[in-house]
Structure formats: structure tokens, C-alpha cells
Amino acid sequence: MSPGMRVGAVIITMGNRPEELRALLESVAKQDGDPIDVVVVGNGSPVPEVPAGVRTVELPENLGIPGGRNVGIEAFGPSGRDVDILLFLDDDGLLARNDTAQLCRQAFEADPKLGIISFRIADPDTGVTQRRHVPRLRASDPMRSSRVTTFLGGANAVRTRVFAEVGGLPDDFFYAHEETDLAWRALDAGWLIDYRSDMVLYHPTTAPSRHAVYHRMVARNRVWLARRNLPAPLVPVYLGIWLTLTLLRRPSRPALRAWFGGFREGWTSPCGPRRPMKWRTVWRLTRLGRPPVI
């Protein structure tokens, strides 16, 4: 591909972080190379004032994280085809370096099978990367870049040909595991995913359980993820392991009640189209260090 790969950025917002959003947009505008076309999606809320040239879309209702991001993708044409690469950035994040977009261009140009890049998330005050933000099992060294099997939703870059080939994020997930659903479909289609420690998004340290729907959505979507993507023999193995891990973590009684409610909902509600991955993809995931049962 030519050195001039076109880069766009999708940012969804609830309109409640205007200062953080402004700082993020400034960090995007400072990126080296050709200017980045930015779309900010107000997910059921008005978009705060943004700089000239930044496009906005205001949705009448909150479509959830995957639904809002899918609207942002389509703002760049069907499957985002008006650009070659789309950055997805949390509205309270900040690109730490000015060369991140250029590093993305170089990475995608160098490897035509690279479909997704997961950035490193670091706390802006301490520089610490939480273990859960390293998308692999061996997460003790966040400074080590590697091939991975999933990615971080609010700090990544995707080649738009991936969306054209495997579709967008699963709208109905609303929150949790939508990235892994897309990652598994992309890997099954032959694309690769990299975690890059040199591509950094500053983001305040938070706990995912701060969201009121966390425990229910995590459990429901875990079941949907398995039902949609795994070969039939692996579905009970995958979900059995996650059930065991959840119990070993000894969540509070209200959290466990919400979790089991979501787990039940995952089995009794439609999960969307079922497209089980090939067994050779299972083997690829295993060789990458994360068999799709963990």
C-alpha cells in the first residue's frame, strides 16, 4: 500500500466529559502525517463543542458501545471504506505520542494480513498499565509487544477491510466482550492482531465494575460469545471454565446474583447469527497462547 494510508478516528461520548474530549481531540490533531478525519458520536446525548472540522453524529438513544462505534464506522461510508484505518479512542483518553497514527500506517503497510492493533493503556499520572489492559494471558510485562487474540475496545486501530469482510461489532452486546467477538471473526477470516506497547493511550485507572450493568452484561455476553463463535464441543467447556473462575473470585452476593441472571439470559435470549470458527482457528488461538476455552 502507498505511504498515504488514510486514517480516521471514531470517538463515542455521553457528553459528560467535555474537557477530556477536547484534550483527546487536540492529541489527535497533533498526530504526525496527514490530518485525521474525526467523527464524534453522541450516544444518546448531545455532543459537547468540538473544534472546527470534527464531524459529529447525535443519536436519539444510547445504542451501547458497539452500536455507537458501528454508527461511527458507517460515517466513513459502508464498512468505513472512505479510509484505510480507523482509530477507536475512549473520550477520556489521550494519545501520549504524536507518532501513533504514523506507527499504525507503517505497521499496516508492512504486514498486509495485520487487521487490528491494540494499544497500550497507561495511567497518565503513574504510567502504570493495568494487567487487564494487556490482551493476553501472560500479562506481567506490558512493555512486551506481541501477537494476541483480542484487543482493547477504546484504544485500537482497525484496517477497514476487516469490517468489509467480517462485519462490524455486535450491536446487541451493548457493553462487554464485543471486541473479542470481532477479534475471533477476524482471526477466523485469516487476519492477525498485534498488541503494541509503543502505541500508548493515557487513560485514568478505573475498575470495569463501576458500570451498573457490568456483572449481568459480562455473563450474558460471555454466553452469547460462545454460542455465536465456538465449535459446539467447546461451548460447554468454555462456559464451564468461566463459571468456575467466577466462583473462585468470590464476588459479593448481589454481584453473583446479577452474574447468574446474565448467564441465564445468555442462554434464553437470541445471540445473533451463529458462525462457529474453524478448528484450524482454534489451533491458531492455542498456538498464540490463548485457546478459546480460557
Side-chain angles (χ1 to χ4, degrees):
M1 292 189 179
S2 67
M5 291 185 81
R6 299 162 298 173
V7 179
V10 173
I11 301 164
I12 59 173
T13 183
M14 300 292 292
N16 55 351
R17 299 167 176 153
E19 294 182 6
E20 293 90 338
L21 175 61
R22 191 176 307 113
L24 171 62
L25 292 172
E26 289 175 0
S27 74
V28 173
K30 292 177 181 177
Q31 290 298 299
D32 300 335
D34 293 335
I36 296 173
D37 187 6
V38 181
V39 169
V40 178
V41 178
N43 214 355
S45 65
V47 176
E49 184 179 354
V50 296
V54 173
R55 292 188 286 154
T56 62
V57 179
E58 294 186 351
L59 303 177
E61 61 178 312
N62 183 355
L63 299 183
I65 294 173
R69 287 185 177 139
N70 283 337
V71 169
I73 293 167
E74 296 301 308
F76 290 90
S79 300
R81 68 184 181 192
D82 293 345
V83 293
D84 303 299
I85 304 165
L86 276 175
L87 310 180
F88 295 88
L89 307 169
D90 276 351
D91 68 342
D92 56 345
L94 182 76
L95 289 173
R97 296 168 39 163
N98 294 345
D99 63 350
T100 301
Q102 282 289 64
L103 290 173
C104 287
R105 291 184 181 100
Q106 293 166 9
F108 285 119
E109 287 165 1
D111 188 348
K113 293 307 294 179
L114 179 61
I116 303 172
I117 300 173
S118 190
F119 300 168
R120 180 167 63 89
I121 293 179
D123 184 274
D125 297 320
T126 65
V128 171
T129 295
Q130 292 180 274
R131 187 181 182 90
R132 68 184 182 89
H133 284 152
V134 183
R136 59 178 180 244
L137 291 179
R138 297 178 178 176
S140 59
D141 181 8
M143 300 306 295
R144 178 173 67 88
S145 299
S146 69
R147 284 261 138 93
V148 290
T149 61
T150 188
F151 64 99
L152 306 173
N156 68 80
V158 181
R159 192 191 297 266
T160 53
R161 282 174 50 203
V162 173
F163 299 126
E165 186 169 345
V166 307
L169 296 156
D171 285 335
D172 290 341
F173 278 42
F174 197 85
Y175 166 79
H177 302 318
E178 67 273 6
E179 302 93 351
T180 300
D181 187 88
L182 175 60
W184 283 1
R185 285 183 282 126
L187 289 163
D188 197 47
W191 295 101
L192 301 171
I193 306 172
D194 279 354
Y195 166 73
R196 288 283 297 265
S197 64
D198 57 338
M199 302 181 188
V200 182
L201 184 85
Y202 283 147
H203 189 282
T205 298
T206 56
S209 55
R210 71 190 185 280
H211 299 288
V213 296
Y214 172 77
H215 295 287
R216 180 175 71 87
M217 292 291 191
V218 161
R220 184 198 68 180
N221 292 359
R222 183 79 71 184
V223 178
W224 280 0
L225 180 69
R227 290 175 59 198
R228 285 163 58 93
N229 295 288
L230 290 181
L234 294 186
V235 173
V237 179
Y238 177 81
L239 294 175
I241 288 173
W242 278 106
L243 172 60
T244 302
L245 288 172
T246 299
L247 295 175
L248 289 174
R249 290 167 179 164
R250 304 183 68 177
S252 67
R253 189 176 297 246
L256 195 59
R257 190 181 307 118
W259 194 94
F260 272 110
F263 193 78
R264 188 180 309 110
E265 184 182 350
W267 285 108
T268 59
S269 57
C271 66
R274 173 167 165 75
R275 299 187 181 94
M277 66 177 65
K278 308 174 191 73
W279 282 104
R280 69 185 181 194
T281 304
V282 173
W283 177 236
R284 280 184 67 203
L285 290 165
T286 302
R287 285 190 294 113
L288 287 169
R290 190 153 198 164
V293 293
I294 302 175

